[in-house]
Amino acid sequence: MINMWWIYIVVPILMALGVCGFLAIVGVQTSWLTHKTDRRAEDMYDEFADPRGKRRRRS
């Protein structure tokens, strides 16, 4: 039988690096998605508004 004692050291290190990497990615995405912006809904309305001819009245 081959003695693979080093696997008991390498696997926990790789798992710890994987967890740290995941937490770093999640933290970066969270800060990127929740950062302050100067854009408001009122400012973006013209960009997303329907053209005048396509507007319909709701009754």
Side-chain angles (χ1 to χ4, degrees):
M1 178 172 210
I2 298 173
N3 190 3
M4 296 190 335
W5 58 268
W6 54 269
I7 211 151
Y8 296 115
I9 297 170
V10 172
V11 170
I13 290 173
L14 290 176
M15 290 178 77
L17 287 173
V19 169
C20 290
F22 175 76
L23 292 175
I25 290 171
V26 169
V28 167
Q29 283 188 343
T30 301
S31 66
W32 180 69
L33 292 172
T34 58
H35 72 280
K36 286 274 193 186
T37 180
D38 56 348
R39 296 179 73 182
R40 301 176 306 156
E42 295 85 6
D43 299 335
M44 295 188 294
Y45 180 74
D46 291 335
E47 182 180 346
F48 297 108
D50 290 334
R52 287 254 178 215
K54 289 183 79 173
R55 290 188 183 171
R56 293 178 284 186
R57 277 192 168 200
R58 293 185 180 178
S59 39

